[in-house]
Amino acid sequence: MGFLQIGGDIPKVEPDIIFTVFSFPISNTFLGITLVLLMVLSFSYFVVRKFSITPRNHTQTVVEMVYVGMEDLLEQVAGRRDVAVFLAPVILGMFVFIGVANLLSLIPIFNTVTYDGVAIFRTPTADFNTTFAMALVMILFIQMQSIVKGGFFQYLGKFFQFHEVYKGFKKSMGDGFMAIINFLIGLLDIISEGARVVSLSLRLFGNIYAGEVLVVILLGAFAYALPSVWISLSILFGVVQAVVFGALSAAYYSISMPPPDGEAAS
Amino acid sequence: MQILEILGKIGFDWKLALANLINIGIIFLVLYKFAFKPIKQKIVEREAAIKKGLNEAHKAEIARQEAEDEKDEVLAQAKRDAVLMLEEAEKQRKNILKDAETKALKERENILHKAQLEIEGKQAEMERVLSEKSAELISRGVSAMLQEEMTPEINDRIIKKMTSHGK
Amino acid sequence: MEGEIMNNVEAARLIAKGLTSLSMFGSGIGEGYLIGKALEAIGRNPDQTGSIFSKMIIGVAMAESTAIYALVMFFII
């Protein structure tokens, strides 16, 4: 190790377990999420409570800009204003949590506070458990909404397109075979729903975890100027990944919703 | 389960995932209840207030427009009245002028007539006086020429003859 | 003999790790193409900059996810 290099251990993939409660392990990720929770609580208590109809401070303007901006983005993705307004709290919750967690990892001392040789905090999004749970809940929420909005049989009919095959064969032979191909594609959609969970969660996890690994590697290579470039890029990526997670969730939502009444009738 | 094994290689453990999930759920609840709801409420309230204000401004604008229309109408009415009055006055003026003119003309005619009559009367008088005087003169001249004393009877006869002849 | 086999397995693992990182080629090409096209679209239609840019960011993140999958594979192997 020369003077210009700072050696460090590459962070482990799995989180460290600090203690257990009733055989449930409490990891350092859990503590990281708790930290975010505390930040959210104090933000709600100290900032949001003071908001008024006629803003007296810049904080409210910025917060409302973010809220309305997310609604506009969702309207672009989903294509409808009412869907955007309905989805905004859910997606914005994702966005805030992921964004705060990603930016937490950039605070230098966040990952280095240790207790008994184990880091107390770990970036929540750099843990596959967190991202997987989030993606799973998001997809389950979308499926549930699809069932509620369109009815259970329409939901099943999206995956098992028996009706379309029957209609296609009634029309002509060629249409029937096309309908069989569509039937197989519909079966594949079941797998693709699962793949969405994996792709959503792996994308976020990979980005943040790779960012942390790369910072350690860069510190080992040339410690005094090089990492700053990557860290400043990480600020951008942290926010972009948060936006992407939300936007993709909204896109999946609008894809899996039954078509609006006007289209269904035609 | 092969999938769990593969996922386990990148640190997946369902107990940890569940714990994280619960914690994230709490964060969501807090965010929704204490942050997004009030923010959205404030935004909606402000939008309503702005809409109300705009509506009121619109109403005020309409009222102003109406008042302006009324004002314009009154002004137009007044203008029309003024024009009418002016026309009336003009007519009256013309009438008065005409009356005065006709009166003046009549007066003039009267005066002229009277003057004519007077002049004629005077002329006749003068003519009469003149003829009398000239007849007297002539009769005096004639009597002088005739060297004979004129009697009033002869004189009168001669004068009468002269005047009737002179006429 | 036993150690030799283990060495061979370790070597194969490292080779596989190297091969997975090759996927970054495709990801890089895809991202470059995507951003180029988006910039072309912005140049042609500057009014839509905001809309195109946000969609571009989403597309870039999706294209990048290929490389991220490879990275995860890299850690799994």
Side-chain angles (χ1 to χ4, degrees), chain A residues 16 23 40 78 93-94 114 137 147 157 163 165 247 253-255:
Chain A
D16 295 312
S23 84
V40 165
M94 291 278 177
T114 54
V137 166
I147 292 173
H163 190 61
V165 172
Y253 179 87
S254 59
I255 286 171

Side-chain angles (χ1 to χ4, degrees), chain A residues 105-200:
Chain A
S105 72
L106 298 176
I107 299 172
I109 55 166
F110 181 69
N111 285 325
T112 52
V113 181
T114 54
Y115 168 78
D116 219 3
V118 176
I120 294 178
F121 296 121
R122 182 190 169 98
T123 316
T125 42
D127 179 1
F128 185 64
N129 298 307
T130 318
T131 59
F132 186 80
M134 279 170 67
L136 189 67
V137 166
M138 202 65 223
I139 296 296
L140 283 181
F141 166 75
I142 289 168
Q143 305 303 320
M144 252 169 53
Q145 282 295 320
S146 180
I147 292 173
V148 168
K149 291 270 161 67
F152 187 64
F153 286 103
Q154 188 179 355
Y155 175 72
L156 277 187
K158 219 168 42 184
F159 299 116
F160 305 102
Q161 303 178 337
F162 293 117
H163 190 61
E164 274 78 1
V165 172
Y166 172 70
K167 267 204 299 196
F169 270 114
K170 214 168 143 190
K171 209 169 167 192
S172 72
M173 210 62 187
D175 282 349
F177 282 115
M178 282 305 290
I180 284 183
I181 293 172
N182 280 336
F183 178 77
L184 295 176
I185 292 173
L187 289 182
L188 274 180
D189 277 350
I190 302 173
I191 299 170
S192 88
E193 293 292 333
R196 279 173 186 173
V197 178
V198 176
S199 86
L200 263 184

